[in-house]
Amino acid sequence: MAGHAQAVRAWSTVYGRFHLWAGSGVFQTLMEAVIAEAAARGQADLDLVSVDSTVARAHHHAAGMTVDAELLEALEKAVAEEKGLRQRGITPQ
C-alpha cells in the first residue's frame, strides 16, 4: 500500500507542477525563446512543426493566441531566408 500512496503523490506532484507552469506562462515563454533562438541562427523552419493532437490538446482560449509583433517579424524573416536558401540548394546550418 505504501507504493500506491507514493505513486498517487508523484502523479499529483507532476500534475500540480504542470498546472502551475502552464498557468504562469512558463511553457509559452520557453517556446518563444526556443523559436527566437532558432530564428536568430537561421534555423527556424515552421513548415516542419507538427503537433499530434491526440497527445496535446489546446484549451479553447488558445485559439486566439497573440504573438509579439517583433517575434513574429523575426520568425517570418527567418522562414523567408530559409526558403530562399533551400530554393538555391543550400542547406541552412
Side-chain angles (χ1 to χ4, degrees):
M1 202 55 133
H4 176 10
Q6 287 176 330
V8 170
R9 279 196 306 269
W11 178 88
S12 63
T13 299
V14 169
Y15 173 80
R17 190 69 48 89
F18 177 86
H19 187 72
L20 176 68
W21 288 353
S24 66
V26 168
F27 297 121
Q28 180 70 32
T29 301
L30 180 61
M31 183 60 75
E32 289 174 358
V34 168
I35 291 171
E37 178 66 27
R41 294 178 181 203
Q43 297 174 330
D45 184 357
L46 298 181
D47 291 339
L48 299 177
V49 174
S50 174
V51 176
D52 180 359
S53 65
T54 62
V55 177
R57 291 182 175 85
H59 189 272
H60 63 275
H61 290 129
M65 183 182 110
T66 58
V67 177
D68 178 65
E70 188 176 308
L71 174 61
L72 183 58
E73 185 179 328
L75 290 172
E76 289 172 344
K77 181 180 175 187
V79 169
E81 288 174 3
E82 185 164 331
K83 283 182 180 178
L85 290 173
R86 289 182 190 266
Q87 287 173 351
R88 292 190 303 252
I90 301 170
T91 304
Q93 298 178 358

